[in-house]
Amino acid sequence: MERTREEVLRELYNLIINKGTRDWERSVLTSTKDALEAGVNVNAQLAKLEEKFRPLALRDNLTGDVADFYLKITGESVEEARFDFSKHSIEDFNYQDYAIFGGGCFWCMVEPFETKSGIDSVLSGYTGGHTPHPSYDQVLGGFTGHVEAVEIIFDTRMISYKELVDLYWQLIDPTDGLGQFQDRGYQYRPIIFVRNEQQRQIAEESKQKVIDSGRYKQPIVTEIQPASTFWPAENHYQQFYKKDYKRYKRIKRYRQRFLLYQYLKGEIRMRWKKGKT
C-alpha cells in the first residue's frame, strides 16, 4: 500500500532519533527526509534510499528498526512478524516460571525452546551487563557487559526447569567461553542465569553431571549467574527463525554439524575410557 508523504516523514523522523540507528544510516535517512520536505517525489526518493541500503540489507547488516523500514519500502510486509511484547509476561505464578539462557547468538536459541510443548513465550534480549536499555549494536560491540540471551516463560505443569536445562546443554558448546560456534566475543559466551536457589541447584547439578560424564576433553566453562534485568532486543531480532528462515537454516545447519562432530568425539572418548576399565 502506497504511503503518504506525511507517513513516510513520520517514520523517517522516528528512525533518525532512534538511538539504535547507526550514524551512516542516520545520514541517509536525513538526506531522504530533507529531499521529501523539499518536495521531491516520494517514490523516487524511496527508490534511491532502497538502493543505498540494499548492500547492507542483503547481508542482514542494517540495524533492527531500519531493517523493518527497508522491508516496508521494498513491499514486504513486516506487520505479521511484529512481536507482541505485551504478551511476554507471567499470568499465573502458580504454574508459570521464567528461565534465562545465554548460548551464543539468540537467533538460534529461540526455535528449539519455542517449539517445545509447555513453552508459552520466548523473548530474545540482553542481560548480565551494566548498561540500561542497550541496543543490538552496543551489545555486539562488547561495550555493555551483556550477553545475548533468551528469556523463556514456561508452564511448570507441562515442562520442568530441569528439562529446559537438559535441552540447553544440547544446544551449546560448554567448553567455549569466548563465544559460540561462528559467533565470537564475550557477549556470546554460554551462561545459565538462575532466578532462585532452586534453579541454581538444578543448574549446578546438571553442570556437574556434564563434567562427570567425561564426554568433553576441555574444561566445562559455562557460567551460572544470578539473573538480572533482562532487556528485550529490538523487534527485528525477535523470532528471527520465522522472519529469515533461509539464513537461519544455514546458521542452524552449521551449529548442528559442529555439535554432531563434538558428540561423536565424546562418544569415542567415553567408549575408550570404558574399554580401559
Side-chain angles (χ1 to χ4, degrees):
M1 182 177 65
E2 187 171 328
R3 294 182 304 281
T4 66
R5 183 182 303 272
E6 290 71 24
E7 290 172 333
V8 174
L9 281 171
R10 189 182 310 117
E11 291 182 278
L12 292 172
Y13 277 124
N14 289 334
L15 289 171
I16 290 168
I17 65 174
N18 189 323
K19 70 171 187 176
T21 301
R22 298 186 187 120
D23 290 342
W24 179 80
E25 294 172 331
R26 186 173 288 109
S27 67
V28 174
L29 293 166
T30 300
S31 296
T32 303
K33 173 188 72 70
D34 293 344
L36 292 180
E37 289 179 332
V40 175
N41 179 271
V42 174
N43 291 333
Q45 196 59 35
L46 289 180
K48 291 182 180 180
L49 184 145
E50 187 277 330
E51 185 178 357
K52 291 180 179 179
F53 280 160
R54 191 186 308 154
L56 290 179
L58 291 174
R59 298 195 299 270
D60 198 44
N61 200 24
L62 293 171
T63 53
D65 290 336
V66 174
D68 284 349
F69 180 69
Y70 178 84
L71 290 177
K72 287 183 181 180
I73 65 177
T74 55
E76 299 182 47
S77 174
V78 297
E79 295 304 318
E80 306 87 26
R82 294 202 69 82
F83 187 87
D84 189 347
F85 291 93
S86 66
K87 292 185 177 180
H88 184 81
S89 62
I90 287 184
E91 297 178 355
D92 188 341
F93 281 91
N94 292 319
Y95 299 111
Q96 288 180 300
D97 200 358
Y98 289 103
I100 304 174
F101 301 111
C105 178
F106 45 36
W107 288 353
C108 289
M109 289 291 288
V110 175
E111 185 200 24
F113 290 106
E114 192 169 71
T115 52
K116 295 284 288 185
S117 297
I119 303 301
D120 296 322
S121 180
V122 180
L123 180 69
S124 296
Y126 320 109
T127 192
H130 50 75
T131 302
H133 305 286
S135 68
Y136 179 80
D137 271 13
Q138 287 176 317
V139 176
L140 182 65
F143 309 122
T144 66
H146 291 298
V147 298
E148 290 192 13
V150 290
E151 183 179 74
I152 302 160
I153 298 178
F154 62 102
D155 189 326
T156 57
R157 294 168 296 184
M158 300 179 65
I159 191 168
S160 67
Y161 180 72
K162 181 181 181 302
E163 289 176 293
L164 295 180
V165 174
D166 289 343
L167 174 58
Y168 170 75
W169 291 114
Q170 299 174 37
L171 303 175
I172 67 164
D173 175 4
T175 68
D176 189 352
L178 301 177
Q180 287 291 286
F181 313 105
Q182 73 270 34
D183 299 305
R184 313 312 303 159
Y186 187 77
Q187 67 275 24
Y188 294 119
R189 71 193 192 281
I191 306 179
I192 300 175
F193 294 94
V194 294
R195 298 185 58 247
N196 49 46
E197 188 56 35
Q198 181 184 27
Q199 286 193 356
R200 174 177 290 281
Q201 183 176 349
I202 292 172
E204 294 282 6
E205 289 176 355
S206 182
K207 179 178 178 179
Q208 191 60 50
K209 185 178 178 180
V210 173
I211 294 172
D212 294 342
S213 71
R215 180 175 294 278
Y216 299 94
K217 183 178 181 180
Q218 302 299 323
I220 303 302
V221 297
T222 301
E223 301 173 38
I224 297 174
Q225 293 187 9
S228 56
T229 302
F230 189 91
W231 302 100
E234 300 85 334
N235 175 76
H236 180 70
Y237 305 111
Q238 304 298 334
Q239 297 179 314
F240 187 82
Y241 75 97
K242 293 181 178 179
K243 295 179 177 179
D244 194 343
Y245 184 72
K246 289 183 178 179
R247 186 178 186 199
Y248 166 71
K249 191 174 181 180
R250 290 196 300 270
I251 300 172
K252 179 181 178 181
R253 187 183 302 119
Y254 176 88
R255 291 170 68 113
Q256 288 178 329
R257 286 175 178 171
F258 179 90
L259 289 171
L260 176 60
Y261 172 69
Q262 191 177 61
Y263 172 80
L264 293 175
K265 285 201 306 181
E267 285 291 298
I268 293 172
R269 184 174 297 108
M270 292 173 69
R271 291 179 183 180
W272 180 77
K273 287 184 178 181
K274 187 177 179 179
K276 291 185 65 177
T277 58

